[in-house]
């Protein structure tokens, strides 16, 4: 039902409208009825923000641009550092002759002048009984092995146990009553 027009802005509006929705004036006379901008400013007070807050708000609204800009800036800084190092390396001269990288890394071209050192002879007096070797192992919380048991009769063919001796059973102490 838009058969009316506004006398102020000339747009087609509803004939029953008391105020033009486009310009805010009376559609019949064209005079301004309500200053909508003044009402908006009065109702919705614009908040005063500092410069740093406005920069952060800009960054929040345009996150993609900020990320791309940061990556470009990092690339430019790294390219600049690379240029500085490359120019310094072009100018710097070593007193020794250049050594090809293949001579440093190619193991086939290198001669082996020193043979690996042989393992020293470890002479432990265990007399063929590995149970005695346990006395040489010292570590935190180690329990001394029990003395060897007298040899069993000649009919027994079982070897002595190779594991550590079991810990003696103890009863927990109770603290004295006060």
């Amino acid at each position: 039902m838009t058969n009316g027009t506004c006398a102020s802005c000339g747009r087609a509006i509803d004939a029953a409208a008391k105020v033009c929705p486009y310009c805010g004036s009376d559609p019949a006379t064209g005079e301004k009825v309500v200053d909508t901008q003044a009402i908006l400013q009065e109702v919705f007070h614009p908040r005063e923000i500092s410069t740093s807050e406005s920069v952060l708000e800009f960054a929040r609204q345009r996150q993609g641009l900020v990320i791309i800009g940061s990556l470009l800036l990092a690339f430019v800084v790294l390219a600049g550092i690379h240029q500085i190092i490359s120019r310094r390396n072009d100018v710097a001269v070593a007193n020794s002759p250049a050594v090809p990288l293949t001579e440093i890394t190619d193991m086939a071209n290198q001669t082996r002048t020193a043979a690996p050192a042989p393992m020293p002879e470890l002479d432990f007096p265990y007399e063929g009984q590995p149970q005695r070797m346990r006395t040489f192992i010292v570590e935190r919380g180690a329990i001394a092995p029990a003395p060897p048991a007298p040899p069993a009769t000649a009919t027994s063919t079982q070897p002595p146990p190779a594991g550590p001796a079991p810990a003696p059973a103890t009863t927990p102490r109770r603290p004295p009553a006060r």
Side-chain angles (χ1 to χ4, degrees), residues 130-149:
Q131 291 80 12
R132 286 193 178 183
M133 286 297 292
R134 285 193 227 139
T135 59
F136 292 112
I137 299 173
V138 179
E139 55 187 41
R140 183 179 297 174
I143 301 171

Side-chain angles (χ1 to χ4, degrees), residues 50-114:
S50 67
T51 306
S52 62
E53 287 177 332
S54 65
V55 169
L56 288 175
E57 185 63 30
F58 176 81
R60 264 190 232 111
Q61 291 174 356
R62 293 164 183 88
Q63 288 179 359
L65 292 176
V66 170
I67 291 172
I68 290 171
S70 300
L71 290 175
L72 285 175
L73 179 67
F75 177 75
V76 168
V77 166
L78 288 176
I81 291 172
H82 180 266
Q83 284 296 323
I84 291 170
I85 292 172
S86 295
R87 286 184 183 167
R88 188 197 66 189
N89 288 343
D90 287 343
V91 175
V93 177
N95 294 333
S96 62
V99 178
L101 199 57
T102 57
E103 287 186 22
I104 297 171
T105 58
D106 191 9
M107 296 301 289
N109 291 341
Q110 295 181 2
T111 58
R112 201 171 271 226
T113 57

Side-chain angles (χ1 to χ4, degrees), residues 113-134:
T113 57
M119 182 75 174
E121 186 65 34
L122 301 175
D123 187 26
F124 292 113
Y126 62 92
E127 300 170 359
Q129 296 177 355
Q131 291 80 12
R132 286 193 178 183
M133 286 297 292
R134 285 193 227 139

Side-chain angles (χ1 to χ4, degrees), residues 1-6 11-16:
M1 298 194 63
T2 59
N3 52 5
T5 57
C6 176
R11 293 190 181 168
I13 60 170
D14 190 11

Side-chain angles (χ1 to χ4, degrees), residues 6 13-21 24-34:
C6 176
I13 60 170
D14 190 11
K18 302 284 184 196
V19 176
C20 176
S25 61
D26 185 11
T29 62
E31 69 181 54
K32 207 69 148 147
V33 175
V34 178

